[in-house]
Amino acid sequence: MRPKRGSDVMVDALIAHGVKYLPGITGNTILDILDSMYDRPEIRYINIHHEQVGAGMANGYARVSGEVGTLITHVGPGVCQASIGIADAYRDSIPVVLITGNQDQDKLGRDQWHELDQLGLLRPITKWSTRIERVQDIPRVLRAAFQRARVGRPGPVHVDIPKDVSATKVEDPAALGPVGPRPVSTRVAPDPAATARVCEMLLQAKAPVLIAGGGVYWSGAGRELTEVAEILEVPVVTTNTARGVIPDDHPLCFGVIGQFGGTTGNNLVRRSDFVLAVGSKLSDVATLTWSLIPKGAPIVQVDLDTNELARQYPIELGLLADAKQFLAQLLEAAAKLKGRGPRSAEALLALPRIREAQAEKAAELDRFYGTDLDAIPIKPQRIPLEVSKAIRRDAIIAAGPGVHPQFTSKIPVYQPGCYVKSTGLGAMGVAFPQAMGAKLARPERQVLCLTGDGDFHMTAQDLETCVREGIAVVSVVYNDVGYGSLRAFQRRGYGGRYIGNDYNDVDFGKLAEVYGALGARVTDPKALGPVLRRFLDSGQPAVIDVMIDPAEEAPRFKEIKQFLGIPGDAGR
């Protein structure tokens, strides 16, 4: 047996922390670590074609599993190429641990080949960026890295390991101490008196609304949220990262708010006289550039991150607390004050405010689908219609950027962790990798990537990875042969002076077949459903290239004009 090296300690620690997959691109600075994985079936190295894909996979894995996602990169260019996915994780509070290889320490700082300040590059977009300088520090640093990624507001952490540390022989591995995690309680409970005050404020309000953010998802507080809403008869809206914490078909659920949400949910916030925001940053995306919450409406904000309390809006009361702990306390207070348990669906739908909002929600959906769904070229509305019919209740959707989320968002979501989207950063080229990571996290579920052709172009090369590794993601491409959202902006705001939006048509169905996946181009709307169901049932990676009408704009264009900052006559 060969002597144990620092790389062996690293792999032992990763396995101890529950890492099952480590995507990356092979380079000489990480060869020792890969060699240490060679005969370790507990952890699987996935060779990819671009580090942005690896970061997206780690991101999607974390979003869906609720665990920490991981990836590894070679020095220099590899780190740069992963940075978009890391920044996306930072903006959306996703726990990811990035491991970067580096040159020997005695060569650092001499402008050697590939060298750059990796720690300095990643510090602004990570919770912590550090370097392991001695082999004995590997267990301690990795314990801290995984803990920091999870605790408080989740986020990415960066660990840099020079090649000489990976290659160092370990004479007495037992002297390094335990490589695995130690349980740490992260459930910060609020002041019970403050929670009781919030309950009273909710009961006194005539038009309250509860905004559930990503903190509700990460704390696993969906049940508490739903029961609180039912007892207090409060409508619930969510941010994108919280979709599914209350099912979309629940009487009190009115969907996502903000840029990627719906008019009904936005109107509930606009008409509210009291807002309870739990685990939400109240960002510009969620509040249409801070225009949704009416002036004078009291706001109570509950968050684990002290930096987020009162950061965007003046608040009546701020509670530093874990969402699950707060909602559990609020549930107890509500049950005492109301003297009853959760209401039935029938009772909730009989409430005048809820009945009116549900009618508005239904009318909004009717307007959305109120077009010629059999038209050619295919109306983009046909895609969410067929997907909604074809998928199971626990299917996972990864949505791309641009104009298409306005359509994809109409697909109902019923469980937590079933909707994945780059929201804060709005990054292109991450939806397909996120779907790949989601499929690794939940291989038994249907996983679909719905995105535009411009976005899919950026990472389509890793269809080969899906085929090789058996990652059965079904991608549905809204293909309008160009950057559709920018084309619409130039049409409305710049007098139709189009530039920089068009490129040659690529048949993504044929491209998928070249890579060994299933593929089809769909031009007839009636063919979409059968192809989609066949590909979903195949258990293979697949791409459906849907040729959509490039003139069909998002139905909420006027509503989101202010957020998008479109000049000219864009509101007309």
Side-chain angles (χ1 to χ4, degrees), residues 55 116 144 310 372 383 496 543 549:
L116 54 77
D372 184 0
I383 294 176
V543 177
D549 184 353

Side-chain angles (χ1 to χ4, degrees), residues 253-497:
C253 180
F254 294 95
V256 176
I257 56 171
Q259 179 192 1
F260 301 111
T263 302
T264 304
N266 286 344
N267 284 342
L268 275 169
V269 179
R270 287 189 181 102
R271 299 165 186 159
S272 64
D273 64 355
F274 177 78
V275 173
L276 172 58
V278 183
S280 170
K281 297 184 290 185
L282 299 176
S283 69
D284 61 328
V285 174
T287 64
L288 288 179
T289 319
W290 307 288
S291 67
L292 281 186
I293 300 176
K295 291 182 179 179
I299 302 171
V300 170
Q301 189 176 10
V302 182
D303 207 283
L304 265 178
D305 188 348
T306 56
N307 296 321
E308 294 300 336
L309 295 174
R311 181 184 178 193
Q312 306 293 359
Y313 282 93
I315 59 177
E316 187 78 12
L317 179 63
L319 284 77
L320 180 67
D322 169 74
K324 190 178 184 74
Q325 287 283 352
F326 166 74
L327 288 167
Q329 274 193 16
L330 185 60
L331 187 60
E332 291 181 8
K336 290 178 181 177
L337 289 172
K338 297 290 284 189
R340 66 175 184 225
R343 307 289 305 279
S344 67
E346 293 77 12
L348 294 169
L349 288 170
L351 298 169
R353 185 173 177 231
I354 302 304
R355 185 172 63 248
E356 291 170 7
Q358 282 292 350
E360 184 179 351
K361 181 180 176 182
E364 180 184 352
L365 197 63
D366 287 343
R367 288 193 302 273
F368 174 80
Y369 286 119
T371 186
D372 184 0
L373 294 172
D374 291 327
I376 298 174
I378 298 171
K379 296 294 184 182
Q381 292 92 328
R382 185 78 186 225
I383 294 176
L385 179 68
E386 295 297 343
V387 170
S388 298
K389 291 178 181 178
I391 60 175
R392 296 192 291 261
R393 194 172 176 89
D394 65 352
I396 298 166
I397 302 294
V403 71
H404 309 303
Q406 300 293 338
F407 300 100
T408 299
S409 64
K410 296 304 180 184
I411 300 169
V413 175
Y414 302 110
Q415 296 180 16
C418 286
Y419 192 77
V420 177
K421 187 183 185 312
S422 172
T423 301
L425 191 65
M428 294 184 70
V430 299
F432 178 49
Q434 286 176 345
M436 293 170 65
K439 188 65 176 179
L440 290 175
R442 296 285 183 261
E444 75 285 0
R445 295 197 192 175
Q446 297 170 327
V447 177
L448 297 89
C449 167
L450 279 83
T451 193
D453 49 303
D455 180 78
F456 196 66
H457 267 297
M458 293 186 173
T459 50
Q461 75 283 336
D462 274 276
L463 281 167
E464 188 279 328
T465 304
C466 288
V467 172
R468 171 172 28 92
E469 298 289 343
I471 305 172
V473 170
V474 175
S475 297
V476 182
V477 181
Y478 294 82
N479 194 344
D480 55 6
V481 194
Y483 297 120
S485 58
L486 280 304
R487 185 187 289 143
F489 299 165
Q490 289 178 344
R491 178 168 56 249
R492 285 176 168 264
Y494 295 88
R497 293 162 60 85

Side-chain angles (χ1 to χ4, degrees), residues 55 59 63 82-96 122-128 149 153-157 213-215 218 239-242 259-260 279-287 289-290 303 305 308 311-312 421-428 430 434 563:
N59 192 314
R63 288 179 190 251
S83 62
I84 289 177
I86 297 303
D88 178 51
Y90 185 73
R91 288 297 308 274
D92 284 356
S93 304
I94 310 300
V96 168
L122 294 169
R123 279 193 184 110
I125 54 173
T126 57
K127 292 181 69 177
W128 187 42
R153 175 184 170 188
V157 167
W218 289 107
T239 63
N240 271 281
T241 50
Q259 179 192 1
F260 301 111
S280 170
K281 297 184 290 185
L282 299 176
S283 69
D284 61 328
V285 174
T287 64
T289 319
W290 307 288
D303 207 283
D305 188 348
E308 294 300 336
R311 181 184 178 193
Q312 306 293 359
K421 187 183 185 312
S422 172
T423 301
L425 191 65
M428 294 184 70
V430 299
Q434 286 176 345
F563 176 87

Side-chain angles (χ1 to χ4, degrees), residues 500-561:
N501 292 319
D502 301 314
Y503 37 74
N504 291 335
D505 181 19
V506 172
D507 187 327
F508 289 109
K510 290 182 179 178
L511 181 66
E513 292 176 342
V514 169
Y515 281 117
L518 298 178
R521 168 165 279 193
V522 176
T523 57
D524 182 349
K526 295 177 182 177
L528 177 56
V531 171
L532 178 60
R533 284 186 287 273
R534 176 163 60 89
F535 282 8
L536 284 170
D537 291 341
S538 72
Q540 298 180 57
V543 177
I544 306 174
D545 188 24
V546 186
M547 302 307 294
I548 62 168
D549 184 353
E552 187 75 10
E553 292 183 351
R556 296 176 57 245
F557 212 100
K558 293 179 182 178
E559 185 181 353
I560 62 177
K561 173 191 172 186

Side-chain angles (χ1 to χ4, degrees), residues 1-5 8 39 169 173:
M1 292 181 64
R2 61 172 173 75
K4 196 155 193 169
R5 297 166 296 176
D8 298 313
D39 54 0
K169 295 179 181 180

